[in-house]
Amino acid sequence: MHINDPKVTVLMPAYNAGKYIGEAITSVLDQSFTDFELLIVNDGSTDETVKIIKSFNDSRIILINQDNKGIASALNLGLSYAKAPYIARFDADDVCSPNRLKIQYDFITAYPEYSVIGSAADYIDADGHFIFTHHPYGHLNEEIQQLKYSICPFIHSSVFYKKEIIINNGGYNEHAYTYEDHFLWVNILKKEKACNLSQALIKVRLNPESLTIDEKWHSRKFRSIKYSTLKKRSITASQGSELYEIGWKQFSPKKKESAYHALCGKKFLLNNYQPEKARLNMARAITLHPLRIDNYLLYTVSYFPERFINWLHNINTDK
């Protein structure tokens, strides 16, 4: 490997990820494909994130610091520093499978007509326990192109893309708070070829500190702005400010923890039928945030047979 000329840049934004970033970094350094730089953008962390990053003695790790400006800003800064023509996105609380970079690099160099490659993913809880495997809504380019604008085609932490494509599109839109990746895809995929590999190449960690929550926990106003901007493929600074203000006010640490347990409970019930684990998580969610009726409904439904639960879920999904 040439330090100043890597084939791949693994781009990892990090904000207060001290609990998980050590495992995330290790999973990158242990890749079977070794010709990469791991570019970590510290987004103003106040915990031990930087200390843990610096504890690794590997010349492939590049650390950049910025004030806390959010994930989109961190990603754009990282793109401006990235040395490689290919970017492997990765989050500081996730885990890479050992062959992830090799599989995606081999694919995109063998089929250079593709600009973006994603994959399936195994979802785990905060303690690393398996919850379920998520398979993308589209695998072939034709399937991805036919997805509605409201469906995000990729798991962001799994994507591997050509850097120039993203930069030429202006990078990540910093107004699209919490869905900067989804907004990016609706703006570029009509012109670019993409696919999702069916193999799970990463483990995505659900945790209370993450911005990843069940969509239904967002306010109606937040969802309205989000989907109208996705449909129009444009967003204003004032809309971005409103999204940020809504998100900031809505989610106290206690509510985020409740949302985390509710999401784990829902996935244990609908995606990996384990009603006992579902009830444990739903009970915790109810204790933390007792005013959400849907938590009680899911807790009650968990006592029904799996076939009935799937039927009920399919009816609700089709509406």
Side-chain angles (χ1 to χ4, degrees):
M1 172 192 168
H2 301 288
I3 296 297
N4 294 318
D5 190 27
K7 291 179 179 177
V8 175
T9 294
V10 180
L11 179 53
M12 177 193 291
Y15 174 69
N16 287 352
K19 292 181 182 178
Y20 315 110
I21 196 169
E23 185 177 3
I25 291 173
T26 298
S27 75
V28 176
L29 299 181
D30 288 347
Q31 290 290 297
S32 58
F33 180 95
T34 59
D35 196 350
F36 65 84
E37 64 173 351
L38 172 55
L39 183 60
I40 306 175
V41 183
N42 170 46
D43 186 33
S45 297
T46 57
D47 65 353
E48 294 190 335
T49 294
V50 173
K51 181 180 178 181
I52 293 170
I53 295 169
K54 290 182 175 180
S55 71
F56 287 86
N57 182 24
D58 195 304
S59 60
R60 293 173 295 180
I61 298 176
I62 310 296
L63 174 62
I64 300 171
N65 294 293
Q66 71 168 23
D67 295 334
N68 181 230
K69 298 178 181 178
I71 185 172
S73 173
L75 289 170
N76 287 333
L77 181 62
L79 286 171
S80 72
Y81 277 89
K83 298 186 182 78
Y86 299 108
I87 303 293
R89 265 288 289 114
F90 193 52
D91 287 333
D93 51 357
D94 294 343
V95 182
C96 270
S97 69
N99 293 319
R100 180 221 167 155
L101 294 183
K102 176 176 172 50
I103 290 170
Q104 291 184 307
Y105 179 81
D106 286 351
F107 185 97
I108 206 167
T109 51
Y111 304 98
E113 65 271 24
Y114 285 88
S115 298
V116 185
I117 306 167
S119 79
D122 291 332
Y123 274 69
I124 58 177
D125 66 14
D127 297 318
H129 301 130
F130 175 78
I131 304 176
F132 76 109
T133 299
H134 173 82
H135 293 283
Y137 295 101
H139 289 88
L140 301 176
N141 180 63
E142 293 75 11
E143 295 171 334
I144 291 173
Q145 298 294 348
Q146 292 173 9
L147 293 175
K148 289 182 62 178
Y149 68 87
S150 57
I151 298 175
C152 188
F154 303 110
I155 300 165
H156 197 191
S157 193
S158 80
V159 295
F160 189 106
Y161 54 68
K162 295 176 179 177
K163 180 179 66 177
E164 65 175 352
I165 298 297
I166 308 304
I167 291 178
N168 290 343
N169 190 68
Y172 291 87
N173 192 301
E174 297 180 22
H175 301 313
Y177 177 66
T178 73
Y179 63 98
E180 63 284 328
D181 58 321
H182 193 169
F183 192 84
L184 175 66
W185 310 136
V186 298
N187 275 282
I188 70 169
L189 286 185
K190 294 300 180 184
K191 299 175 290 185
E192 304 298 333
K193 195 169 184 179
C195 71
N196 275 304
L197 305 180
S198 59
Q199 183 178 350
L201 297 180
I202 62 167
K203 295 178 182 178
V204 175
R205 189 189 305 271
L206 300 179
N207 65 83
E209 294 84 17
S210 174
L211 289 175
T212 301
I213 63 165
D214 193 325
E215 183 74 12
K216 293 181 179 179
W217 278 69
H218 283 301
S219 70
R220 184 175 298 177
K221 181 65 174 177
F222 187 101
R223 296 197 303 270
S224 175
I225 296 172
K226 174 181 176 178
Y227 289 110
S228 67
T229 57
L230 285 169
K231 187 175 184 178
K232 295 177 182 177
R233 292 191 290 177
S234 66
I235 185 171
T236 65
S238 61
Q239 287 173 316
S241 297
E242 190 171 3
L243 287 167
Y244 181 80
E245 186 176 350
I246 294 170
W248 182 258
K249 287 181 178 179
Q250 186 180 9
F251 289 107
S252 64
K254 189 174 181 180
K255 281 189 177 180
K256 288 187 74 173
E257 186 177 354
S258 180
Y260 158 74
H261 284 290
L263 183 56
C264 287
K266 182 178 180 180
K267 295 305 180 183
F268 272 124
L269 191 60
L270 300 177
N271 299 90
N272 178 6
Y273 184 68
Q274 296 191 55
E276 295 84 5
K277 289 184 178 180
R279 283 193 287 275
L280 285 172
N281 277 282
M282 297 313 301
R284 182 61 178 157
I286 290 168
T287 300
L288 290 164
H289 191 44
L291 299 180
R292 287 195 65 96
I293 301 300
D294 51 349
N295 289 342
Y296 296 93
L297 291 175
L298 280 171
Y299 185 92
T300 302
V301 167
S302 70
Y303 285 97
F304 287 87
E306 182 180 7
R307 182 179 297 179
F308 176 79
I309 293 173
N310 289 334
W311 173 78
L312 200 63
H313 175 60
N314 289 335
I315 289 178
N316 188 53
T317 301
D318 291 338
K319 287 182 178 179

